Amino acid sequence: MATRSHVDVNERRLRPIYDCLDNGSNKEALREADKVLKKQKDFQCAKVLKCLALMRLGRSDDSQEFLKAVHDQQPCDEATLQAMAICYRECDRLDLLADAYCNASKKRPDSEEIMTALFMAYVRLGDYKRQQLTAMSLFKSKPKTPYYFWAIMSIVMQAHCDPKLSKTMYLPLAERMVVKHIKDGKVDSEAEVALYLIILEELGKYDEALCVLGGELGGKLVTELDMHIAKKLEYLTKMARWPELNVIYRKQLKKDNDSWFCYEGYFKSLFHLVDTGWTPANSELEYSLDEGECQADYTIEAAIEFINQAIADNQSSERPKRGPYLARLELYKQLKQKENTLYQSIGEVGIMLESYFDMFCRKQCCFRDLSQYVCLLDDTAKKQFLQCIGEKAKYGEWSTLPEFENMHHVQQHMTVLQLTRYCGLHTDLSHADKHLLVQHLYDAFEQAYKIRIAHVATDMQLIDNYAIIAVHLLMDIYCDTGDMTVVWRGIEILENVFRKAPTDFQVKLLLIKLYSELGAFGACADMYDRLEVKHLQQDTLGFMVCNDMTRYGHFGASCTFYDTTLRFFNHNIKEMLEYIISAYKYGSFTKVYEFVKFKEHLENSLNYGLAMVSRLLLDLTMDCDSHEKAEEDISAMHSIRGLYDADWEKMNDNRDLDIMVSYSDEYQKSSHKIAEASFKEEKAWLKVQSLSVRCLASAVMMSSDVPIPLNGCLGEDKDFTNEDVFESVTDNLESHLQICQTEFRQLMQFPINGPRHTKLKAFLDKKHGQVLINALRATLHIKKCQNNGIESEKLGEKFSHGTVDILKGNIENCLISWW
């Protein structure tokens, strides 16, 4: 009773401190903590709360000093530990948080709460081995199934991090542990069955996974709709059991003949059966069908009959679906690509395309659907097809403008216009004709705007595409002539459209591109703000403006933009840890796997690396007005490798380069190559910047007695001086620049709606890299002379190597281009 009374007193005394901290009154919280400590000077929880208040007041050094004192006392009461957890999370010292709970668990090994908190602390660190040991200790002291599966999930994550031992040690161990639990009859939740399936998938045991799906355990998978059929299709595809796949896809299409996913699977299984000459009679595979199930289609004739039957069934519907008609075109396309003459028995492709246009020309998806198959026509047939559908849409000649009757007529006219550009008929026009067509298209926009149906302000407008295609024509002229007046004309058109359609993101994206061509970054930034980019879009769309900021000298705006981007990445990477912890708590093991992969996806993002390195360079060049300030900033960056240590092989390109609409067949065909070339260039330029930051930082730290952390820069078996580290990173930069000089001698030309080139080519052509390397070598030489007490008589000769001439030539070129 006395103990409980003591606890109540402590809680009552701490309550005002908690209230002040929750309200953001940190000074008041500090005063309240001091009051409590005057009465109880050894009250650990009050001390930790005082540390938290000091930390939030910006007095980090004082806070860390008090916190270390409490940490050394190895507290084990939950209130103190929880307060310490808040402190360590805010100062990003998750290792000390795990250490605090580890010390507490040694004093109270029977405490389930402390052991659970220790497990979660290791989750935050990503220490999967200690997660496993802690979970097994928990299970032994408190034999609960969730703790057992925490250990199994920790083993699976070890397999994820160590591919070499995953299938030989970790995954077989995890499988044995699950099987043991199944035999004991203790597996009773959907999450545990889902984890078992993950293990079997990683081991490639798809037969066993199929047995689990069809057995008693599979009955527990009830949360996700159609999970059984989706998993079954996945496993059968992995095992190449094409007959069964064909039967299932055929069965699914009879239920829903508009499922494109099922059509793709159906065709894939069909052509595997045809190519291998499979028949039910010669099949060695055990192939049995339930009563009433359909047979597999293993001939082209059977597939054609099946598709034609789907079309016949669809024609009787009040609202015909697109799937069967597109499936017929897709089958025709694949047969023609495989040079199978049976494609002729499907029908005339021009007639099929016209029929599709007649049925679905009032839908906005009509262009996207037909653009996949107009390539089946030769040039003459394309013109005939466009002339035929143009007459139906009253399209007429390109130089004439029809009188629109309603929005359905506008949609028909738009589809014909989009297909005309996609087929390349605009490329044959002269510049004068293109200018005339631009004016006609803008007039069409104005006319269609008058008859548009009332719409919500946030809705996309079909008629905006007239202006977008007009600007694309102007960009064709600009690419041919370099005439900036057509860029101004494009901006004029888009700004007029933007006033009438302020929510069309395609108009905004195109305006950003055009303003960027003019070098008007202020307008670019304003339009980018109007896009209202949210959450993951900062990763996928940030490339639209980030390269132009420093290019045009807007360093202040660059700092703001990079800070916003880094806040998004850092916040989400930290928040992902909380999501992973919640997934463990609620037993959602499949989500643990997804969250960890997503966290790695963010950490290895190209845009994250660009934002981090660019911000570090801006810090070193703008904020450091003295050597002491530079040393202070660099010391806060933890280590030279820690400035930005990318795994270049795992780096991923999250940029959405297809966000801007394109009506060019050539761009569609080359978009993949453009993305690859751009990613390679961006990665090379990022590495140049990253190594430059390390060189600058290590140059500053050469004057300090504090050793530069190596972290694998050099061998760890010897003692290296700061000069050795500086020389090593300089060598790395010089080597990388030589590789870039070879690989990026000639750059691929990107279209106006594609990505922009980095500054790498100019950096190499103007020999800025050589100047930087010479300056770094001179710095190292001066330091060595200083250490050895030798005067540098040949320093000027070493530094020159053409450096002065390079700088003089660059300055003269700048002055010539300016005047």
Side-chain angles (χ1 to χ4, degrees):
M1 191 70 179
T3 303
R4 180 60 194 166
S5 175
H6 178 68
V7 171
D8 289 341
V9 170
N10 287 342
E11 290 180 355
R12 191 166 61 251
R13 289 176 174 174
L14 292 174
R15 177 52 49 198
I17 308 176
Y18 282 117
D19 291 340
C20 292
L21 289 170
D22 290 340
N23 296 328
S25 304
N26 298 314
K27 289 184 178 180
E28 188 63 28
L30 183 60
R31 283 193 289 268
E32 292 291 339
D34 286 333
K35 289 180 185 178
V36 173
L37 289 172
K38 284 181 180 179
K39 299 176 181 177
Q40 291 177 262
K41 64 178 181 178
D42 296 326
F43 195 177
Q44 292 178 331
C45 189
K47 289 181 179 180
V48 176
L49 293 177
K50 179 180 179 179
C51 294
L52 183 58
L54 288 170
M55 189 180 299
R56 292 179 177 177
L57 287 170
R59 296 166 59 181
S60 299
D61 293 340
D62 295 337
S63 172
Q64 293 297 330
E65 183 180 348
F66 284 115
L67 194 57
K68 185 179 184 305
V70 177
H71 187 101
D72 293 340
Q73 294 173 8
Q74 299 184 358
C76 58
D77 64 289
E78 292 181 23
T80 303
L81 289 171
Q82 288 174 2
M84 291 176 72
I86 297 172
C87 289
Y88 286 136
R89 284 203 299 270
E90 291 197 6
C91 66
D92 200 22
R93 292 302 305 272
L94 301 180
D95 54 331
L96 294 179
L97 171 59
D99 186 59
Y101 275 110
C102 184
N103 293 332
S105 67
K106 293 175 183 177
K107 290 186 176 181
R108 296 177 58 188
D110 57 336
S111 173
E112 185 177 4
E113 291 77 11
I114 289 178
M115 291 296 288
T116 302
L118 176 60
F119 176 84
M120 297 307 173
Y122 287 137
V123 169
R124 287 190 171 90
L125 285 175
D127 193 336
Y128 301 122
K129 180 63 178 177
R130 290 184 179 177
Q131 281 180 216
Q132 176 193 347
L133 297 175
T134 305
M136 288 308 297
S137 298
L138 258 173
F139 181 70
K140 289 176 182 177
S141 60
K142 307 287 181 181
K144 298 179 181 179
T145 299
Y147 298 149
Y148 188 75
F149 276 87
W150 283 4
I152 295 173
M153 189 67 221
S154 301
I155 295 171
V156 172
M157 294 314 301
Q158 290 179 69
H160 174 69
C161 294
D162 190 353
K164 292 182 180 179
L165 295 177
S166 61
K167 293 188 177 181
T168 57
M169 185 174 78
Y170 294 118
L171 291 174
L173 173 60
E175 183 190 12
R176 288 195 298 271
M177 291 176 69
V178 177
V179 170
K180 179 180 180 299
H181 225 57
I182 292 172
K183 290 179 178 177
D184 294 341
K186 296 180 180 178
V187 174
D188 54 3
S189 75
E190 180 180 1
E192 293 159 6
V193 178
L195 177 56
Y196 186 32
L197 288 176
I198 288 175
I199 295 169
L200 293 175
E201 289 170 16
E202 293 294 322
L203 285 169
K205 296 184 176 182
Y206 302 110
D207 278 320
E208 294 182 28
L210 276 173
C211 292
V212 171
L213 276 178
E216 182 183 350
L217 292 175
K220 299 181 185 296
L221 302 172
V222 295
T223 302
E224 295 185 30
L225 186 64
D226 293 333
M227 182 178 182
H228 280 81
I229 189 66
K231 285 289 184 183
K232 188 174 182 180
L233 290 171
E234 178 187 346
Y235 298 152
L236 289 173
T237 304
K238 294 285 187 181
M239 293 186 289
R241 287 163 62 169
W242 307 112
E244 292 162 87
L245 277 166
N246 190 275
V247 170
I248 295 173
Y249 282 123
R250 202 175 190 278
K251 192 175 180 181
Q252 292 297 115
L253 287 169
K254 281 186 172 293
K255 295 179 182 178
D256 178 13
N257 62 7
D258 200 38
S259 173
W260 191 247
F261 168 77
C262 289
Y263 279 118
E264 288 179 323
Y266 173 76
F267 290 138
K268 185 177 181 180
S269 61
L270 168 70
F271 285 110
H272 273 95
L273 295 177
V274 171
D275 293 342
T276 57
W278 182 93
T279 62
N282 65 13
S283 174
E284 298 178 359
L285 178 67
E286 183 182 349
Y287 179 68
S288 60
L289 295 173
D290 296 334
E291 186 178 352
E293 277 193 329
C294 52
Q295 292 285 343
D297 290 337
Y298 54 92
T299 64
I300 300 299
E301 292 83 354
I304 294 173
E305 183 182 352
F306 175 68
I307 297 297
N308 287 336
Q309 185 59 47
I311 291 174
D313 296 339
N314 190 48
Q315 286 175 341
S316 60
S317 173
E318 293 182 2
R319 299 186 64 183
K321 298 176 180 177
R322 298 152 49 219
Y325 301 97
L326 291 173
R328 181 171 62 178
L329 288 166
E330 182 64 25
L331 181 59
Y332 184 100
K333 182 179 180 180
Q334 292 197 28
L335 286 172
K336 192 169 184 180
Q337 288 174 346
K338 293 176 181 293
E339 299 181 354
N340 190 320
T341 56
L342 287 174
Y343 73 85
Q344 297 173 355
S345 61
I346 297 177
E348 177 61 39
V349 64
I351 296 174
M352 289 189 287
L353 290 171
E354 289 175 25
S355 173
Y356 188 87
F357 178 84
D358 292 340
M359 296 186 68
F360 303 106
C361 61
R362 295 184 175 185
K363 295 180 179 290
Q364 292 193 33
C365 59
C366 186
F367 162 69
R368 290 297 176 194
D369 293 342
L370 291 179
S371 64
Q372 304 298 316
Y373 303 107
V374 290
C375 61
L376 299 173
L377 301 170
D378 57 31
D379 292 341
T380 303
K382 282 179 184 177
K383 292 180 180 179
Q384 291 175 352
F385 167 66
L386 291 172
Q387 183 179 359
C388 178
I389 63 175
E391 291 174 356
K392 295 175 182 179
K394 301 179 182 178
Y395 184 74
E397 294 294 329
W398 62 264
S399 58
T400 60
L401 181 66
E403 291 292 332
F404 294 127
E405 300 168 2
N406 50 45
M407 289 305 294
H408 290 314
H409 185 197
V410 173
Q411 177 62 71
Q412 288 178 314
H413 186 267
M414 175 60 66
T415 302
V416 177
L417 174 64
Q418 291 168 327
L419 287 170
T420 301
R421 178 160 180 80
Y422 187 82
C423 291
L425 269 64
H426 288 167
T427 57
D428 298 332
L429 299 177
S430 65
H431 291 168
D433 288 341
K434 286 181 180 179
H435 277 294
L436 184 59
L437 179 55
V438 166
Q439 186 58 49
H440 282 305
L441 291 177
Y442 186 70
D443 292 342
F445 166 79
E446 293 286 0
Q447 181 184 333
Y449 185 79
K450 297 175 183 177
I451 65 169
R452 77 193 190 286
I453 301 172
H455 63 279
V456 181
T458 55
D459 286 349
M460 296 279 288
Q461 294 192 54
L462 163 70
I463 60 176
D464 297 346
N465 289 321
Y466 283 115
I468 291 172
I469 294 176
V471 174
H472 284 181
L473 285 164
L474 290 172
M475 290 305 98
D476 292 344
I477 300 172
Y478 171 68
C479 291
D480 292 341
T481 64
D483 184 6
M484 295 300 294
T485 58
V486 296
V487 177
W488 283 108
R489 173 61 175 152
I491 291 173
E492 178 190 4
I493 291 173
L494 291 173
E495 286 287 1
N496 289 335
V497 174
F498 178 68
R499 280 193 288 271
K500 297 176 180 179
T503 58
D504 193 331
F505 71 92
Q506 289 291 347
V507 173
K508 298 175 187 176
L509 291 171
L510 202 47
L511 275 169
I512 290 174
K513 282 288 185 180
L514 298 188
Y515 280 127
S516 178
E517 285 295 318
L518 293 176
F521 177 74
C524 288
D526 178 64
M527 199 54 63
Y528 184 79
D529 291 339
R530 291 172 185 268
L531 277 173
E532 298 181 0
V533 169
K534 305 292 184 186
H535 203 58
L536 275 178
Q537 291 175 329
Q538 295 187 53
D539 188 19
T540 59
L541 298 181
F543 75 96
M544 295 291 297
V545 294
C546 73
N547 283 338
D548 294 331
M549 290 183 172
T550 52
R551 189 197 306 268
Y552 298 137
H554 291 262
F555 301 121
S558 299
C559 291
T560 304
F561 178 82
Y562 292 136
D563 286 342
T564 302
T565 304
L566 290 173
R567 272 198 302 272
F568 157 73
F569 280 105
N570 294 330
H571 173 75
N572 279 276
I573 289 170
K574 288 182 180 179
E575 283 297 306
M576 209 55 60
L577 295 175
E578 301 304 320
Y579 299 152
I580 294 170
I581 287 172
S582 297
Y584 273 109
K585 286 180 179 178
Y586 297 109
S588 302
F589 299 114
T590 55
K591 296 302 178 186
V592 171
Y593 212 52
E594 292 175 14
F595 289 145
V596 169
K597 286 185 175 180
F598 183 68
K599 177 173 171 287
E600 292 173 353
H601 198 68
L602 287 178
E603 290 173 334
N604 294 322
S605 170
L606 170 68
N607 198 35
Y608 182 37
L610 287 170
M612 182 181 292
V613 172
S614 299
R615 189 67 179 92
L616 291 173
L617 275 172
L618 287 170
D619 285 342
L620 290 174
T621 54
M622 292 181 63
D623 297 340
C624 298
D625 52 3
S626 66
H627 185 80
E628 291 73 17
K629 182 67 167 62
E631 277 194 10
E632 181 183 339
D633 288 352
I634 291 168
S635 298
M637 296 173 184
H638 302 298
S639 68
I640 299 304
R641 295 275 295 184
L643 295 175
Y644 180 64
D645 188 16
D647 189 336
W648 302 103
E649 296 301 322
K650 291 183 179 179
M651 181 170 285
N652 47 63
D653 187 4
N654 299 335
R655 297 174 300 166
D656 188 357
L657 298 179
D658 296 325
I659 185 67
M660 294 184 68
V661 66
S662 173
Y663 299 107
S664 169
D665 183 31
E666 294 182 1
Y667 178 74
Q668 298 286 350
K669 292 177 180 177
S670 61
S671 60
H672 182 67
K673 291 182 179 179
I674 289 173
E676 284 185 346
S678 175
F679 180 48
K680 184 178 180 181
E681 182 185 345
E682 289 280 0
K683 196 159 61 169
W685 177 237
L686 173 59
K687 195 169 183 178
V688 170
Q689 291 180 296
S690 175
L691 290 170
S692 299
V693 170
R694 290 194 209 173
C695 288
L696 293 174
S698 55
V700 171
M701 295 304 289
M702 275 199 302
S703 64
S704 173
D705 295 331
V706 179
I708 302 173
L710 295 173
N711 290 355
C713 285
L714 301 167
E716 299 290 346
D717 55 340
K718 297 180 181 179
D719 293 330
F720 291 98
T721 63
N722 287 352
E723 290 83 354
D724 295 330
V725 178
F726 173 69
E727 188 170 10
S728 174
V729 292
T730 303
D731 290 340
N732 290 341
L733 175 59
E734 186 172 20
S735 174
H736 178 62
L737 287 174
Q738 290 173 354
I739 293 172
C740 291
Q741 193 72 50
T742 304
E743 292 187 356
F744 300 97
R745 193 179 303 276
Q746 188 67 35
L747 295 180
M748 181 179 183
Q749 186 174 359
F750 297 154
I752 190 69
N753 57 341
R756 286 177 66 86
H757 285 294
T758 66
K759 294 178 283 188
L760 179 61
K761 188 70 165 60
F763 187 82
L764 297 173
D765 291 346
K766 300 296 183 182
K767 299 183 180 180
H768 294 167
Q770 185 179 337
V771 172
L772 177 60
I773 293 296
N774 289 346
L776 293 170
R777 295 292 184 200
T779 303
L780 179 63
H781 186 72
I782 292 171
K783 182 61 179 175
K784 286 183 176 180
C785 290
Q786 180 187 5
N787 292 343
N788 298 327
I790 302 173
E791 293 184 4
S792 179
E793 297 177 356
K794 297 184 179 181
L795 177 59
E797 180 183 344
K798 283 184 172 291
F799 179 70
S800 63
H801 287 294
T803 302
V804 176
D805 294 335
I806 293 171
L807 291 173
K808 183 179 178 181
N810 287 342
I811 293 171
E812 288 176 353
N813 289 335
C814 289
L815 291 174
I816 291 171
S817 61
W818 173 261
W819 292 108

